[in-house]
Amino acid sequence: MQYEQLGATGVFVSRIALGTMTFGGAGTAPWSLVGGLDEKAADELVGLALDAGVNLLDTADMYAAGECEEILGRVLGPRRQGVLLASKLFARMGTGPNDVGLSRQWVTRALEDSLRRLRTDHIDLYQIHSFDPLTPVEETLAALDDAVRQGKIRYIGASNLAAWQMMKFLGASQLRGSESFVSQQVYYSLAGRDIEREILPMAADQKLATLVWSPLAGGFLSGKFDRNGAGDETARRALADFPPVDRERGWDIVDALRVVASWHGVSVARVALAWVLARPGVTSVIVGAKRPDQLTENLAAVDLVLTEQDLAELDAASALPTVYPDWWAPIALADRLPPPA
């Protein structure tokens, strides 16, 4: 396993992290579609990941309505030491008007509930799961800062924020002198490269770690599907179109993945994961699995080194169209930057 620094902190995380959204929720939509794994199956996956050197496990309070955290807490047991445990809050977890969002009221209660379910006295990386337009960022930061000072959280991060939303939080943290986000968790894949426009450059400038979710675009890039209609009818992607994918562009990407995979004699999924791992600014890639063989295949992506020819093939099929103001910057800076040496 390889490790990368978590933003500007002194902590190192495995380049592949285990996502636990497949734990729990059997018989309950949509979680039964995601995985619905019981405690025994979850324990096998956690053990496999830890044995491979994975030290970052990611979950959220909303996964299987809290059952995911409960299962993870039970299966970790004495293995909790040495593991970096990440969880998230924001989603509705009750019927009350305040059982959702990022208010001080809910941050405080959601954290206590997650600590109880995870059977731990602290969460290593506690992340807001979305932006709350109804709660001032200062209120959220104050509640998170209090929890850090109480020893209940080690670091804080954010997931699914636009660049301007993240900067609003970072600016408020600087003005307040409070704890600041050290990471962002975002969707990124060959079929979804939108973060390259503003979110990744912002993270590089602010020295934020970037943790990637759904690097296989919800299974679209797993190799199970193609433009001729081939696919696994039991797979999550066949049952739910999430994350959304431009199908025509997506099939071109799958075709390119098959070409590169044939050059290396590996699976399409392994190439898709290796591409994300090779992208500048990516700290760790979160992978989930229903079976040990799936997880083993995903973990192997860390050892696949893509060549310049591989990357060129994949970039050609997946490149984003240039949008304003990206096409303007080269024009404006043409006479500003010094000539190359």
Side-chain angles (χ1 to χ4, degrees):
M1 182 55 64
Q2 301 165 12
Y3 300 89
E4 192 77 23
Q5 195 170 356
L6 184 68
T9 77
V11 171
F12 284 78
V13 297
S14 50
R15 297 230 56 211
I16 293 184
L18 178 63
T20 62
M21 194 165 62
T22 56
F23 297 2
T28 305
W31 305 108
S32 55
L33 304 179
V34 175
L37 300 184
D38 60 19
E39 187 171 327
K40 181 180 178 181
D43 181 64
E44 187 173 9
L45 292 179
V46 168
L48 180 60
L50 297 182
D51 288 345
V54 171
N55 73 343
L56 177 61
L57 306 183
D58 182 75
T59 187
D61 56 3
M62 68 172 289
Y63 296 165
E67 186 184 1
C68 177
E69 285 186 326
E70 291 176 349
I71 291 175
L72 182 57
R74 290 196 296 269
V75 303
L76 269 180
R79 297 179 294 189
R80 170 68 177 96
Q81 187 174 2
V83 168
L84 298 171
L85 196 54
S87 193
K88 300 180 285 291
L89 83 149
F90 173 85
R92 176 167 292 283
M93 293 293 290
T95 59
N98 296 313
D99 297 343
V100 62
L102 296 177
S103 67
R104 174 183 285 275
Q105 169 79 13
W106 184 241
V107 168
T108 304
R109 181 179 155 196
L111 174 59
E112 294 295 339
D113 288 346
S114 285
L115 290 171
R116 172 178 49 78
R117 288 190 291 260
L118 289 166
R119 302 189 177 196
T120 185
D121 62 356
H122 73 278
I123 292 174
D124 298 286
L125 178 62
Y126 199 46
Q127 305 153 104
I128 64 170
H129 214 158
S130 189
F131 185 75
D132 183 354
L134 301 182
T135 303
V137 298
E138 293 83 1
E139 179 178 342
T140 302
L141 287 169
L144 293 171
D145 189 67
D146 286 348
V148 171
R149 296 178 187 280
Q150 293 163 3
K152 297 176 180 180
I153 303 171
R154 297 291 186 261
Y155 300 100
I156 59 175
S159 182
N160 304 315
L161 265 59
W164 71 265
Q165 293 167 341
M166 178 64 84
M167 289 305 302
K168 188 170 185 176
F169 272 101
L170 295 179
S173 293
Q174 186 174 18
L175 286 173
R176 290 173 46 85
S178 63
E179 287 293 318
S180 184
F181 293 148
V182 303
S183 65
Q184 61 172 357
Q185 188 176 139
V186 291
Y187 166 55
Y188 191 29
S189 76
L190 271 163
R193 298 179 59 174
D194 305 291
I195 67 169
E196 293 176 10
R197 290 196 168 114
E198 291 193 1
I199 295 176
L200 270 181
M202 175 276 299
D205 179 73
Q206 297 297 309
K207 296 180 174 56
L208 293 175
T210 294
L211 313 176
V212 172
W213 63 265
S214 203
L216 298 180
F220 185 85
L221 304 178
S222 64
K224 299 176 181 178
F225 304 93
D226 63 32
R227 67 172 75 246
N228 298 318
D232 180 356
E233 294 183 358
T234 65
R236 181 183 7 151
R237 169 55 70 172
L239 302 171
D241 188 26
F242 182 84
V245 170
D246 178 338
R247 293 302 177 102
E248 287 308 309
R249 175 172 169 270
W251 297 136
D252 291 341
I253 295 169
V254 171
D255 290 343
L257 280 168
R258 293 190 187 281
V259 170
V260 175
S262 69
W263 292 342
H264 290 270
V266 299
S267 69
V268 165
R270 195 184 302 189
V271 174
L273 290 170
W275 180 87
V276 179
L277 285 164
R279 300 303 295 172
V282 170
T283 306
S284 184
V285 174
I286 302 168
V287 301
K290 296 181 183 179
R291 305 188 311 270
D293 61 297
Q294 291 177 329
L295 181 56
T296 299
E297 175 63 25
N298 290 342
L299 290 168
V302 78
D303 296 318
L304 177 59
V305 179
L306 298 178
T307 67
E308 291 299 323
Q309 183 181 3
D310 298 333
L311 296 173
E313 184 83 16
L314 297 171
D315 287 345
S318 64
L320 292 172
T322 304
V323 297
Y324 177 83
D326 293 347
W327 56 258
W328 171 254
I331 300 173
L333 295 176
D335 294 329
R336 178 65 181 87
L337 298 176

